[in-house]
Amino acid sequence: MVHGELDSFDGREATIEGVHNALFTGLATCRGVVSSFLSRIETFNPTINAVISLNPEALSRADELDQSLAAGNVTGRLFCIPILLKDNYDAVGMNTTGGNLGLAGNRPTQDAPTVKAFRDEGAIILGKANLHELALEGISVSSLGGQTINPYDHGRTPGGSSGGTGAAIAASFAVFGTGTDTVNSLRSPASANSLVSVRPTRGLITRAGVIPISYTQDAVGAIARNVRDLATALTVMAGIGFDGRDNVTALAPPEAIGKDYAAELTYSANSLQGLRLGMLDGFWNHTASDETTPVNEAMAKMLEFLQAAGAELVNVTDSLYNATAIAARLDVQTSEYRQELDGYLAGPNLDGQAPASFNELYTSGKFLVLPSQYNYVKTAFASSTSNASYAVAQLGIQNLTTALRRTFSDHQLDALIYPEQKNLVVKLGAPSQSGRNGILAALTGSPVVTVPAGFSPPSAAAPIGVPIGMELLGLPFTEGKLLNMAAYITTQFPVRRMPSFANQSVETRDYVEVPVIKPNTSNIPSQYPIGVL
């Protein structure tokens, strides 16, 4: 197939295997695959504002891979797989903005190790996804990218902070995407967009080359539509191994680094038989309301399925497991953020126009003033790891980690389960993303796989309902076990559905060059002004 002819490739719900089948049987070219996703973005992104920029080299890279394909030189488990990066990952050829006006000209000269790993496996970086500005909250609005809209209910947020990735992957703008997670941010968008995600064990994947917030709590990972693609993404990201730029990677055992998580998926009929799953009662909101009842009803159906599949459910009622109380006592982001951001901005791998420090950025006036977020930033101006309260919190984190391990041991658990969010994802204009349960894994460094659990009842605003997700939390470096559980759940209890507004084929345009995407910043709620602290 030569340039000028259109492929019939349909990117809806496309998988790695599906793209490769189309390529290797001659049904599509790599340029045609990339063009099909670009066409979907051009058609549907104006509605949900999920993609903040496109990679100008995506089509030329596709042409190079077509030449390799024609020569029979096909290597890499992600050959010609279009992916999106959350716009806090460094990728050569694109700016890394964090969705922030002050960082609009921040241009890396080196890929983040995870981005390099994707490229080395043949992936095509299609572009960058919007996020909550600098990943500091969970409603996915930024001064540079505007407000991202939930594709299932255009009156709600897409979760966050990786909400641009979540909304984009839900609408099939790429095969999978990346996110970051300091408290909830790989899992919240997966839950709110009927997707799967993995927050890896602390130390499994290097965080270098990604705009940081917290050395203690930050994690990077992937968001996908199915578990096999998620497992492949994890295999690539975890395969980097030790990275001197992120010394916590020294914690990962060799068998976790070299593992092929996708190849180890079994989809066995007895995958859940005899497993003991602890239900964290404190992570449910048992008060009935329009926002909480749909979550509780979806989870009740999921629990029935798990029991029918042979899992034993264990009610864990320890008062320790209260997400709000844990976050209030032990969240250390404000003590680490200024130091971490200063380190990133002073790094040798940045070029272009960007502030040189935390102080310079937050006195520039080029940022979003969201009350919950910038009360946090004001605290970060004064707080640091030298505060006495920081040492107390770190001791508390150690105690929480020990208590969590003891819960697993005392109850002989294989995993803990709970709704990712106690209530439906919040509506546009909300002051914060309330009711999320991600803090436990963030502080203890535990792995979590998030799976779709159900939908709220359909409504005029949400034609097929609002997605609801469940977390599976395990012991360190049990990602393979969690992914096998998730693979069984998602195939035997299928929940995933496309958002109805984007569930239609799009004619693939024959692009000469990659189109320019201009995010809609006019949709930022009026209560989130851009200004000075």
Side-chain angles (χ1 to χ4, degrees):
M1 189 173 293
V2 296
H3 180 46
E5 297 179 0
L6 295 178
D7 296 348
S8 58
F9 185 82
D10 188 342
R12 284 179 295 175
E13 301 293 278
T15 65
I16 294 172
E17 182 180 19
V19 170
H20 285 170
N21 283 342
L23 289 173
F24 303 154
T25 59
L27 294 177
T29 61
C30 188
R31 170 178 272 267
V33 169
V34 170
S35 295
S36 72
F37 285 108
L38 293 176
S39 297
R40 289 191 62 79
I41 293 170
E42 271 208 293
T43 302
F44 297 120
N45 194 61
T47 300
I48 60 173
N49 209 39
V51 176
I52 199 169
S53 61
L54 291 173
N55 178 8
E57 298 176 358
L59 286 173
S60 60
R61 179 58 180 153
D63 289 340
E64 291 174 2
L65 293 183
D66 276 329
Q67 293 174 11
S68 295
L69 183 62
N73 182 23
V74 176
T75 58
R77 66 186 78 217
L78 296 176
F79 183 88
C80 188
I81 299 301
I83 68 173
L84 287 166
L85 305 174
K86 184 176 181 179
D87 197 12
N88 54 359
Y89 281 68
D90 285 346
V92 173
M94 303 187 72
N95 290 357
T96 306
T97 73
N100 173 255
L101 277 171
L103 290 173
N106 179 43
R107 198 162 185 87
T109 60
Q110 182 176 324
D111 284 338
T114 45
V115 174
K116 180 179 185 300
F118 285 136
R119 292 198 211 254
D120 288 348
E121 289 287 345
I124 293 181
I125 310 302
L126 201 57
K128 298 285 195 80
N130 195 26
L131 64 159
H132 192 94
E133 184 161 304
L134 291 164
L136 295 182
E137 237 288 356
I139 51 181
S140 294
V141 59
S142 69
S143 58
L144 186 65
Q147 174 70 67
T148 298
I149 307 299
N150 189 297
Y152 294 88
D153 181 340
H154 296 168
R156 293 184 185 265
T157 65
S161 63
S162 311
T165 300
I169 301 308
S172 294
F173 289 176
V175 175
F176 67 84
T178 68
T180 60
D181 189 315
T182 306
V183 180
N184 301 274
S185 301
L186 278 158
R187 296 161 286 160
S188 172
S191 174
N193 290 281
S194 198
L195 300 169
V196 292
S197 71
V198 57
R199 178 193 163 100
T201 306
R202 176 176 165 82
L204 182 61
I205 302 175
T206 177
R207 303 163 297 182
V210 179
I211 299 176
I213 298 174
S214 167
Y215 178 80
T216 300
Q217 297 173 213
D218 283 352
V220 301
I223 301 174
R225 290 184 291 270
N226 67 83
V227 174
R228 185 168 294 281
D229 288 354
L230 182 67
T232 299
L234 178 63
T235 298
V236 174
M237 298 177 87
I240 298 165
F242 175 74
D243 181 1
R245 293 171 62 191
D246 183 7
N247 60 15
V248 73
T249 53
L251 297 173
E255 60 270 19
I257 296 168
K259 183 177 292 189
D260 187 334
Y261 292 93
E264 293 187 6
L265 294 176
T266 64
Y267 298 90
S268 171
N270 59 355
S271 290
L272 302 184
Q273 189 69 43
L275 295 187
R276 290 174 59 84
L277 306 179
M279 302 180 297
L280 286 187
D281 185 70
F283 281 23
W284 266 259
N285 184 338
H286 297 293
T287 302
S289 74
D290 290 344
E291 297 297 304
T292 58
T293 299
V295 175
N296 294 336
E297 290 178 345
M299 285 299 298
K301 292 177 182 177
M302 173 62 79
L303 296 179
E304 289 178 5
F305 161 76
L306 295 174
Q307 282 187 304
E312 184 176 351
L313 303 183
V314 180
N315 201 22
V316 178
T317 59
D318 191 327
S319 61
L320 170 67
Y321 297 115
N322 179 309
T324 303
I326 291 170
R329 286 191 305 112
L330 302 179
D331 191 330
V332 294
Q333 295 178 79
T334 53
S335 295
E336 296 178 341
Y337 180 42
R338 175 160 48 94
Q339 174 181 313
E340 290 295 301
L341 187 58
D342 279 347
Y344 172 82
L345 293 174
N349 303 315
L350 298 182
D351 201 353
Q353 300 294 317
S357 68
F358 173 98
N359 281 14
E360 186 177 335
L361 173 62
Y362 286 114
T363 55
S364 68
K366 296 180 178 180
F367 50 79
L368 198 68
V369 182
L370 173 65
S372 64
Q373 179 175 333
Y374 286 102
N375 286 335
Y376 165 100
V377 171
K378 287 179 182 179
T379 304
F381 265 106
S383 297
S384 72
T385 56
S386 64
N387 291 14
S389 59
Y390 177 73
V392 173
Q394 285 290 357
L395 178 60
I397 291 171
Q398 292 178 33
N399 292 338
L400 177 65
T401 304
T402 301
L404 179 61
R405 303 292 184 267
R406 181 169 180 174
T407 295
F408 269 82
S409 177
D410 287 351
H411 295 286
Q412 297 182 304
L413 299 177
D414 294 282
L416 287 170
I417 58 174
Y418 46 88
E420 199 290 322
Q421 192 162 351
K422 300 180 185 76
N423 45 265
L424 298 178
V425 66
V426 299
K427 296 180 180 179
L428 299 176
S432 66
Q433 191 64 252
S434 62
R436 297 184 297 173
N437 288 319
I439 189 66
L440 180 62
L443 292 176
T444 62
S446 304
V448 174
V449 172
T450 305
V451 297
F455 283 83
S456 69
S459 67
I464 62 173
V466 178
I468 296 159
M470 179 180 75
E471 292 196 19
L472 297 155
L473 182 150
L475 291 171
F477 304 106
T478 59
E479 282 83 356
K481 183 177 186 177
L482 296 175
L483 287 167
N484 260 307
M485 294 168 60
Y488 183 82
I489 291 169
T490 54
T491 54
Q492 300 303 312
F493 190 78
V495 170
R496 162 79 195 157
R497 282 178 278 171
M498 276 201 75
S500 54
F501 98 98
N503 192 7
Q504 52 189 291
S505 62
V506 172
E507 181 179 355
T508 300
R509 295 163 177 75
D510 185 20
Y511 294 100
V512 175
E513 59 185 23
V514 175
V516 175
I517 293 294
K518 294 183 178 180
N520 177 18
T521 56
S522 67
N523 70 351
I524 298 175
S526 59
Q527 59 268 46
Y528 311 153
I530 296 170
V532 181
L533 289 169

